[in-house]
Amino acid sequence: MSKQTITIPDDFILGAAASAWQTEGWSGKKAGQDSYLDAWYKNDRHVWHNGYGPAVATDFINRYKEDVALMKAAGLTHYRTSINWARFLTDYENVVVDEDYAAYYDRLIDELQAQGIEPMLCLEHYELPAALLEKYDGWGSKKVVELYVRYAEKVFERYASKVTRWFTFNEPIVVQTRVYLDALRWPYEQNTDKWMQWNHHKNLATAKVVKLFRDKGYSGTVGTILNPEVTYPRSSAPHDVKAAEIYDLFFNRVFLDPAIKGEYPAELLALLAKHQVRWEYDDEELSLIAGNRVDEVGINLYYPHRVKAPSRAWNPETPFHPAFYYEHFDLPGRRMNKSRGWEIQPRIIYDMAMRLKNEYDNIPWFVAENGMGIEDEAQFKNAEGQIQDDYRITFIGEHLHQALKARADGANCQGYMLWAFTDNVSPMNAFKNRYGLIEIDLENQRQRRMKKSAHWYRQLRDTHQLTINIDDEEK
Ligand code: BG6
């Protein structure tokens, strides 16, 4: 091991992320404004860890001023959150803006900017209005694509003069994969056709919103935030390599390619046809996707994905699942975050960066989420009650190092954003795994306290120097 100090470029984002539904809480929410998450929580509360969910979350909607002050104290240059579509409107069909909620966003944006923190806003972090899921089957319907674009139009009309960095979705693959592919989340329905239809409509929605933003002549950029899983084959044997390539097609390239290259991979289309996955698309939609590629991508990276060729048969009576072509593989001797059950491998950042550089035109991108969720963090409090999260400092340092190394090697990496700014509510896991620089004390009226890592993050911003221990082989 040796110590190394790396300079962080002046224009490098050192931020943190969150979303509306995971922080704001339902205070002020009107009847009929449930999002998909709210409906899931109401219908299926028992699967949410200790019963916590979006109802109160961190009560950010009432405490944003206190939190923005903490963002400043922790040295954030940027803060990324979402606007909750389900709450931004009171009538989704006629796009009637909820003036109370919209005014809160005006105040939040103004407060962030007054404190020198740049807001980055995402139009959907799973917050599909529940009413549109019920009436139109959500993203399965072209009508919902149209209503989403009209919602985006209202948001831009209101805030595009103040906010210049926009994102269409956060992790657009997640909801339909958990619901329609794996049937692990409410409303539990294994339906591969719907899965692909949702994917396609979200790709189409991104292209339409990019077009809208450009046609209206707003200044700024529109990107999307994806969660490609850096996938390594168990071995270099052709069957393992093929398993990894197919995994990559179904879970990564299905969004990366349309967003950045403007087209679906031919190999993916061939596999969908081979397995009779039915989804509706036409040439006009494909040319919209081709003509309206994103300006940048945010990439959420937490852990490596490892696969091997499958050794078991697929039951032909269940709908096609891409796992026909792969099985998960656990690397013996891997480093683990035991709370989350995820392998720790900072190299995923560098490998993704090189892929974007070499295969995706070196598009501008940044790490939009990366972080470490830890259970029972109160056990790490010192006598003064501050969580001594040295494990998080090491984790961030190692991953940030890979981002800086990639940038030095020519990757167009614009920055690093931690998930998350404060501890917050995750789907199902709720407050089980704590991710924040700031502790939310659920036992004491959600009191906020800076963890050791928040002070360390501040010092990164102040000095623009990252000092870490590096393995000799890493250098
Ligand atoms: C990310 C999501 O992938 O993972 C967040 O964008 C989520 O919304 C985060 O909260 C952590 O999830 P979990 O289940 O580990 O708490």
Side-chain angles (χ1 to χ4, degrees), residues 33-330:
Q33 285 188 320
D34 281 346
S35 68
Y36 160 69
L37 276 307
D38 299 340
W40 173 18
Y41 181 61
K42 286 180 177 178
N43 279 290
D44 205 13
R45 212 183 189 110
H46 67 280
V47 305
W48 290 71
H49 186 71
N50 287 346
Y52 285 110
V56 183
T58 70
D59 197 24
F60 183 82
I61 202 160
N62 292 313
R63 300 177 73 162
Y64 71 89
K65 273 202 174 179
E66 182 185 352
D67 283 352
V68 173
L70 286 164
M71 289 176 204
K72 191 175 182 189
L76 302 195
T77 61
H78 292 67
Y79 178 65
R80 190 258 292 188
T81 188
S82 57
I83 292 186
N84 187 334
W85 177 9
R87 288 195 64 176
F88 188 73
L89 302 174
T90 51
D91 177 339
Y92 308 115
E93 313 261 348
N94 297 302
V95 284
V96 179
V97 173
D98 181 333
E99 289 299 327
D100 297 330
Y101 187 76
Y104 147 70
Y105 261 87
D106 273 316
R107 291 193 298 271
L108 171 61
I109 293 166
D110 293 347
E111 183 67 18
L112 285 163
Q113 290 176 334
Q115 300 306 328
I117 299 159
E118 257 330 292
M120 294 159 87
L121 291 179
C122 184
L123 295 168
E124 206 249 37
H125 193 125
Y126 319 152
E127 296 117 340
L128 167 76
L132 300 184
L133 178 65
E134 205 176 305
K135 184 165 177 192
Y136 297 111
D137 225 2
W139 285 104
S141 153
K142 300 200 189 287
K143 175 79 180 170
V144 169
V145 178
E146 181 198 318
L147 295 177
Y148 171 80
V149 177
R150 294 182 65 199
Y151 148 67
E153 191 172 6
K154 289 282 174 195
V155 171
F156 292 153
E157 272 168 19
R158 184 126 193 167
Y159 309 114
S161 57
K162 313 200 227 191
V163 176
T164 55
R165 230 156 162 168
W166 293 94
F167 300 90
T168 53
F169 291 95
N170 175 80
E171 302 193 352
I173 200 166
V174 165
V175 173
Q176 63 270 27
T177 297
R178 301 283 174 271
V179 175
Y180 296 119
L181 208 53
D182 299 334
L184 286 171
R185 289 184 184 173
W186 182 85
Y188 311 99
E189 177 191 342
Q190 203 190 346
N191 185 329
T192 313
D193 298 347
K194 277 194 191 178
W195 175 75
M196 190 55 210
Q197 194 67 64
W198 279 48
N199 291 336
H200 174 61
H201 283 160
K202 289 183 179 183
N203 282 320
L204 180 62
T206 289
K208 287 190 169 201
V209 169
V210 167
K211 181 171 178 342
L212 167 78
F213 192 84
R214 290 180 187 153
D215 286 353
K216 296 269 180 188
Y218 294 122
S219 59
T221 54
V222 182
T224 187
I225 294 170
L226 304 177
N227 55 319
E229 297 173 276
V230 179
T231 305
Y232 301 104
R234 166 180 56 179
S235 76
S236 58
H239 48 270
D240 283 338
V241 172
K242 182 177 167 204
E245 281 169 4
I246 293 185
Y247 189 91
D248 187 49
L249 279 172
F250 279 104
F251 298 107
N252 301 335
R253 293 186 62 192
V254 64
F255 278 99
L256 277 171
D257 283 36
I260 306 177
K261 297 184 174 176
E263 61 184 15
Y264 287 106
E267 306 92 304
L268 176 66
L269 298 182
L271 283 168
L272 291 168
K274 178 175 168 190
H275 292 285
Q276 286 141 29
V277 177
R278 289 179 305 269
W279 52 298
E280 283 173 23
Y281 65 99
D282 60 29
D283 288 347
E284 197 188 328
E285 292 172 354
L286 295 185
S287 62
L288 255 164
I289 290 173
N292 296 284
R293 295 183 258 168
V294 296
D295 295 308
E296 66 172 338
V297 283
I299 302 282
N300 296 351
L301 290 167
Y302 286 88
Y303 60 98
H305 204 84
R306 300 185 191 275
V307 297
K308 60 183 179 180
S311 53
R312 49 159 168 61
W314 170 52
N315 175 2
E317 284 174 24
T318 58
F320 165 70
H321 191 294
F324 177 63
Y325 289 105
Y326 64 84
E327 270 176 37
H328 298 287
F329 168 66
D330 289 335

Side-chain angles (χ1 to χ4, degrees), residues 21-22 125-126 170-171 300 302 340 342 369 419 424-427 429-430 433 435:
W21 80 268
Q22 291 174 278
H125 193 125
Y126 319 152
N170 175 80
E171 302 193 352
N300 296 351
Y302 286 88
R340 194 59 183 83
W342 285 346
E369 284 180 27
W419 185 269
N424 64 37
V425 171
S426 285
N429 283 327
N433 303 311
Y435 281 87

